[in-house]
């Protein structure tokens, strides 16, 4: 494998995205702080451009294209947030984009991706191989593939969210980050270990998609079938080579939470903090709640990864709880 990205790459990414990505707010809630007996700082990436942290990595990666790559265009595959991030970044940088999306991706995410000017190619995530589709399109059309997480520029860009959080609130004892393919978690780990070496870093993934936990504990990448979970942004089958190497080195533990716990966190964000947060974006809070008493008296960061959820689904999930 080539050299892993470092915190210096996160710093370089921060310079590239400055003035393009939002510096999202850090929010607090006395209700959750009373519940956990800790100071909790939410980095609200649901207020990022395209509604999720993914814009950071996408813009960083595309801004490094050479002239021939820009002329040919970019290719990506994603269930939604990376798709929107690549589509918007490509539009801002004056290049075309083609996005491979599962046919059951949330309607709002697919509509937004097309709205940003991308050409969308759909596939069945349970029976077709998106990697094979991507390789074919890249070869046929000369497109540069930017994967959703296993790419040094993507990882470095995502790490800027944790960098901003730590710069604003100072030292943290623990940081909770959602985990799908590991781009946000590995980037956050690069930032946290550089800025606050003693901070414990926790990845949180859905119970049905525990490939990250299995990989972390076995010491090798474990691949699973596409998990069935409401956290569509974490329906990954495995960690990437880059992300796993950083996670194995820098992360303290991987936690899993049930879909029902994600719904409860969605309800909390909506009722107490007046925020719409997608199920995947609730993984960090659900993980913090799972540790509960272990956090008493600590300063804790939670990255809220995104807020792109179909409003009909959002209401249906809250009614079902």
């Amino acid at each position: 494998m080539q050299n892993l990205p470092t915190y210096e790459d996160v710093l370089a990414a921060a310079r590239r995205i400055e003035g393009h990505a939002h510096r999202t707010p850090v929010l607090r809630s006395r209700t959750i702080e009373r519940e956990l007996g800790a100071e909790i700082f939410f980095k609200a990436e649901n207020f990022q451009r395209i509604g999720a942290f993914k814009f950071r990595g996408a813009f960083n990666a595309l801004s490094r294209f050479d002239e021939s790559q820009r002329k040919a265009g970019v290719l990506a595959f994603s269930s939604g947030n990376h798709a929107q991030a690549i589509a918007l970044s490509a539009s801002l940088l004056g290049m075309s984009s083609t996005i491979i999306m599962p046919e059951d991706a949330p309607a709002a995410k697919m509509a937004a991706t097309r709205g940003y000017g991308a050409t969308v190619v759909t596939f069945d995530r349970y029976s077709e191989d998106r990697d094979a589709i991507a390789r074919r399109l890249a070869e046929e059309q000369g497109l540069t593939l930017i994967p959703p997480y296993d790419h040094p520029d993507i990882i470095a860009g995502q790490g800027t969210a944790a960098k901003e959080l730590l710069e604003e609130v100072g030292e943290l004892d623990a940081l909770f980050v959602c985990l799908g393919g590991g781009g946000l978690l590995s980037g956050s780990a690069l930032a946290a270990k550089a800025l606050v070496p003693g901070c414990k870093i926790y990845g949180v993934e859905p119970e049905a998609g525990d490939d990250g936990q299995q990989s972390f504990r076995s010491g090798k990448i474990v691949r699973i079938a596409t998990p069935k979970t409401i956290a569509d942004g974490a329906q990954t089958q495995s960690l990437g080579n880059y992300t796993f190497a950083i996670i194995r080195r820098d992360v303290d533990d991987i936690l899993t939470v049930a879909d029902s716990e994600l719904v409860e966190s969605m309800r909390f964000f909506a009722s107490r903090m007046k925020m719409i947060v997608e199920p995947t974006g609730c993984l960090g809070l659900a993980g913090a709640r799972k540790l509960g008493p272990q956090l008493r008296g600590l300063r804790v960061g939670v990255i809220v990864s995104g807020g792109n959820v179909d409003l009909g689904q959002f209401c249906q999930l809250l009614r079902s709880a």
Side-chain angles (χ1 to χ4, degrees), residues 2-3 23 75 88 103 109-110 133 139 182 206 209 226 277 281:
Q2 298 176 354
N3 292 335
R23 190 177 181 96
L75 173 68
L88 177 57
E103 58 191 11
K109 294 183 178 182
M110 195 173 291
I133 297 171
E139 183 176 344
T226 300
V277 179

Side-chain angles (χ1 to χ4, degrees), residues 24-254:
T24 51
V26 176
L27 306 176
R28 298 179 69 176
S29 164
R30 294 200 308 173
T31 301
I32 199 68
E33 292 189 345
R34 284 196 301 268
E35 176 187 323
L36 297 178
E39 292 181 83
I40 310 294
F41 302 90
F42 294 102
K43 180 63 169 169
E45 285 294 290
N46 50 315
F47 295 124
Q48 185 54 262
R49 295 187 78 165
I50 70 92
F53 74 95
K54 291 282 190 176
F55 180 77
R56 297 173 179 274
F59 192 89
N60 183 53
L62 269 59
S63 68
R64 302 198 70 196
F65 275 24
D66 62 28
E67 188 56 37
S68 64
Q69 288 176 307
R70 290 184 182 225
K71 185 175 180 179
V74 62
L75 173 68
F77 48 78
S78 166
S79 65
N81 286 339
H82 181 63
Q84 294 174 78
I86 290 290
L88 177 57
S89 297
S91 176
L92 292 172
L93 292 166
M95 66 181 83
S96 64
S97 60
T98 300
I99 313 295
I100 302 166
M101 298 184 73
E103 58 191 11
D104 62 346
K109 294 183 178 182
M110 195 173 291
T113 302
R114 289 192 171 104
Y116 290 129
T119 298
V120 174
V121 177
T122 60
F123 75 104
D124 182 343
R125 73 166 94 212
Y126 299 104
S127 64
E128 294 183 276
D129 184 349
R130 71 179 185 183
D131 295 330
I133 297 171
R135 286 193 297 271
R136 175 176 58 80
L137 288 174
E139 183 176 344
E140 290 175 353
Q141 301 179 31
L143 306 173
T144 298
L145 174 65
I146 297 296
Y149 50 86
D150 203 34
H151 189 288
D153 293 334
I154 292 291
I155 292 168
Q158 316 308 27
T160 61
K163 171 183 173 292
E164 290 177 7
L165 171 63
L166 290 163
E167 287 174 344
E168 182 166 338
V169 306
E171 292 195 5
L172 294 174
D173 299 298
L175 178 64
F176 290 82
V177 185
C178 71
L179 174 59
L184 180 61
L185 179 57
S186 56
S188 297
L190 292 177
K193 287 302 180 185
L195 295 173
V196 188
C199 178
K200 290 189 176 297
I201 304 166
Y202 298 94
V204 189
E205 61 188 352
E207 285 181 352
D210 68 343
D211 60 287
Q213 187 182 75
Q214 290 187 53
S215 300
F216 185 77
R217 294 182 181 174
S218 68
K220 61 183 180 180
I221 295 177
V222 173
R223 187 175 180 86
I224 63 173
T226 300
K228 293 187 177 181
T229 169
I230 63 172
D232 64 282
Q235 285 185 298
T236 48
Q237 295 179 308
S238 70
L239 300 176
N241 291 320
Y242 286 104
T243 59
F244 175 64
I246 297 169
I247 289 168
R248 187 182 182 190
R249 182 190 68 195
D250 293 340
V251 170
D252 291 275
D253 201 5
I254 305 295

Side-chain angles (χ1 to χ4, degrees), residues 301-316:
V302 175
I303 296 185
V304 180
S305 63
N308 293 322
V309 58
D310 179 80
L311 291 180
Q313 181 199 25
F314 182 82
C315 295
Q316 183 178 14

